[in-house]
Amino acid sequence: MISKIEGRFMAMADSSLVGLRKKSLREQALIALRRAITTGELEQGTHLVETELSASMQISRGTLREALRQLEQEGLVSAGERGRLSVRHLDNKEIQDIFAVRASLETLAATTLLQREDLSDALAQLRSAVSTMEQLEGHEIEERIEADLEFHRTLCRLSENDTLLHAWEQLEGSIRMSIMFGGYERGVRNMDVARHFKLVDTIEAGDRAAVSAEISEHMRIAAETLMGS
């Protein structure tokens, strides 16, 4: 008798999880699994059975474990009883916590930008990132998620605070999961181009208090949208 998860992997015959090439198998497995999770191909709460996954992806269990450990560090996979791994499932409190931390990090990044002598160059990079989001309207959700994340990553990178950037990147997996928690329609609403341009305009105006308030509001709206509030 075929189990539910076996049936799911059999149905993935043409998906990104099958038949990985022999080069850089760990990296390919990591990319394929991350994509399957963030697109909902592997739903939240799905138990990840090593024997079935390794057979489906045609890789060793050792290689698979390495990829799964990385995904656990990224917050996409969580360990339950007896160490059993499953696709992480978020609740409303976790989403609120994620966006509260994001607000703190990105507020620090944005207010730090105000001290840069080449602020105009930084603003141009941020506007370019928003323009990319605008160009991708109507494209696949994966591309739009990446463009949205790249805007916020750029904001943190431009702060030239490596510790801040590293902290934000550690949240990236959880941010992706929160988008999937909300579903396609809510996720797309959070990629509103006008709101992102407004954020850049607020930074350009140079008022630290206004920047802090704008980012707090940006993250509050994002969290509430994903939770369906």
Side-chain angles (χ1 to χ4, degrees):
M1 182 176 179
I2 298 176
S3 69
K4 182 178 180 181
I5 193 166
E6 286 175 326
R8 180 181 292 122
F9 287 127
M10 289 174 64
M12 290 179 181
D14 296 322
S15 81
S16 59
L17 298 183
V18 177
L20 299 181
R21 292 173 297 172
K22 301 304 179 184
K23 183 179 179 180
S24 303
L25 286 180
R26 176 189 175 279
E27 288 77 9
Q28 290 184 67
L30 181 60
I31 292 169
L33 285 165
R34 187 188 290 124
R35 180 181 184 277
I37 292 170
T38 57
T39 60
E41 185 179 359
L42 287 176
E43 298 175 354
Q44 293 187 38
T46 299
H47 290 299
L48 302 173
V49 182
E50 285 187 5
T51 52
E52 296 170 359
L53 269 175
S54 59
S56 174
M57 302 173 76
Q58 300 176 27
I59 58 175
S60 71
R61 292 175 67 178
T63 299
L64 175 64
R65 287 192 195 105
E66 291 178 9
L68 291 174
R69 277 196 294 269
Q70 177 64 35
L71 292 173
E72 189 173 4
Q73 291 176 6
E74 293 179 6
L76 295 176
V77 168
S78 59
E81 295 181 2
R82 300 179 182 178
R84 291 187 65 188
L85 295 177
S86 60
V87 177
R88 184 179 173 194
H89 177 77
L90 297 178
D91 58 28
N92 282 351
K93 182 182 183 303
E94 287 176 300
I95 290 179
Q96 289 175 324
D97 291 345
I98 290 165
F99 280 85
V101 174
R102 283 191 68 185
S104 295
L105 290 172
E106 296 189 29
T107 295
L108 176 58
T111 53
T112 300
L113 280 186
L114 300 180
Q115 304 169 25
R116 289 185 55 152
E117 294 182 1
D118 60 343
L119 178 59
S120 60
D121 291 339
L123 292 169
Q125 291 183 56
L126 289 172
R127 287 202 170 92
S128 175
V130 184
S131 294
T132 298
M133 292 175 60
E134 188 172 33
Q135 291 165 13
L136 292 175
E137 288 181 343
H139 284 229
E140 294 291 332
I141 185 65
E142 298 166 71
E143 295 178 273
R144 301 188 67 181
I145 289 173
E146 292 309 316
D148 181 40
L149 290 175
E150 182 58 25
F151 168 82
H152 293 279
R153 186 186 298 108
T154 298
L155 174 62
C156 293
R157 178 176 53 78
L158 289 170
S159 73
E160 298 183 331
N161 183 327
D162 291 341
T163 301
L164 187 159
L165 177 60
H166 178 70
W168 187 91
E169 288 176 338
Q170 290 298 302
L171 276 179
E172 193 168 337
S174 296
I175 296 169
R176 294 173 189 276
M177 290 305 297
S178 66
I179 295 171
M180 294 312 303
F181 174 93
Y184 177 83
E185 294 297 333
R186 294 176 187 172
V188 167
R189 286 208 301 274
N190 266 346
M191 298 171 198
D192 182 71
V193 168
R195 278 204 304 130
H196 287 75
F197 272 129
K198 182 183 178 184
L199 176 54
V200 180
D201 290 341
T202 304
I203 295 171
E204 183 175 32
D207 185 323
R208 292 175 63 92
V211 168
S212 179
E214 183 63 31
I215 292 179
S216 293
E217 181 70 359
H218 189 101
M219 295 302 167
R220 182 191 66 79
I221 291 173
E224 290 182 355
T225 297
L226 293 174
M227 294 186 298
S229 302

